[in-house]
Amino acid sequence: MMPRLVVVGNGMAGVACVEQILKHAPKFEITIFGDETHVNYNRILLSSVLAGEKAANEIQLNGLEWYEKHGIELRLGVRITDVAAERKTVTGDDGSITSFNKLLIATGSTPLIPPMDGVKKEGVFVFQRL
Ligand SMILES: Cc1cc2nc3c(=O)[nH]c(=O)nc-3n(C[C@H](O)[C@H](O)[C@H](O)COP(=O)(O)OP(=O)(O)OC[C@H]3O[C@@H](n4cnc5c(N)ncnc54)[C@H](O)[C@@H]3O)c2cc1C
């Protein structure tokens, strides 16, 4: 049985890394967790979506068929809340526990929101996700 690579974060860095692993050493069963509900997309082009120049599906990087073609188990909408390094498991917010041999954490960043009046008002949000 092939070792399992678990990737936490279905973003630009995590998936780019998986693309290279597939190119050079396709020797893992791969599971990717992403807490967003979309397949991998080009976050840099979010501005074009906001401007109405592109539709959301036009900034997609890898469609579901890419994950299927490479036998990647994609767990969308699941946030990893705990890593048990010694047991080599990750826990999802859906209650799932997944074992890994190798773990890649590519969770990106959390925006800093300056302490200004009004930031907690309804309709005020950071511009980071589809
Ligand atoms: C509007 C905008 C414009 C940008 N323009 C540029 C640009 O012009 N040039 C440039 O170089 N960069 C730009 N960037 C920055 C660039 O998008 C980021 O540097 C890049 O996306 C980082 O990739 P990443 O994989 O590290 O993180 P991300 O792409 O953020 O991916 C991380 C993923 O992990 C998920 N995640 C986080 N925690 C968990 C968890 N616990 N469990 C499961 N999933 C989790 C997140 O939801 C996210 O989907 C821009 C960013 C934005 C928002």
Side-chain angles (χ1 to χ4, degrees):
M1 216 167 115
M2 285 200 283
R4 176 160 298 276
L5 168 68
V6 165
V7 181
V8 184
N10 185 43
M12 296 184 71
V15 176
C17 188
V18 168
E19 284 174 346
Q20 292 304 314
I21 288 170
L22 291 170
K23 209 157 130 191
H24 298 290
K27 58 181 182 193
F28 295 106
E29 302 270 358
I30 302 175
T31 301
I32 303 181
F33 287 91
D35 65 354
E36 294 186 70
T37 49
H38 306 277
V39 289
N40 182 37
Y41 61 89
N42 187 335
R43 198 174 303 286
I44 292 167
L45 294 179
L46 273 180
S47 315
S48 308
V49 176
L50 185 68
E53 294 160 7
K54 285 187 189 298
N57 62 359
E58 289 180 282
I59 66 164
Q60 188 175 293
L61 291 172
N62 293 295
L64 275 179
E65 65 288 349
W66 177 82
Y67 295 87
E68 277 162 20
K69 181 177 147 201
H70 293 288
I72 297 170
E73 182 191 16
L74 179 61
R75 304 281 300 279
L76 287 179
V78 181
R79 183 169 182 80
I80 294 302
T81 54
D82 188 48
V83 176
E86 283 179 13
R87 280 201 309 275
K88 294 203 165 191
T89 59
V90 291
T91 305
D93 62 1
D94 59 347
S96 62
I97 294 179
T98 307
S99 300
F100 61 83
N101 299 101
K102 299 280 181 196
L103 179 67
L104 173 62
I105 299 176
T107 47
S109 57
T110 308
L112 174 82
I113 304 173
M116 296 183 302
D117 283 347
V119 290
K120 298 235 163 83
K121 281 186 178 169
E122 203 186 325
V124 177
F125 55 89
V126 295
F127 178 42
Q128 193 188 22
R129 295 173 165 209
L130 257 180

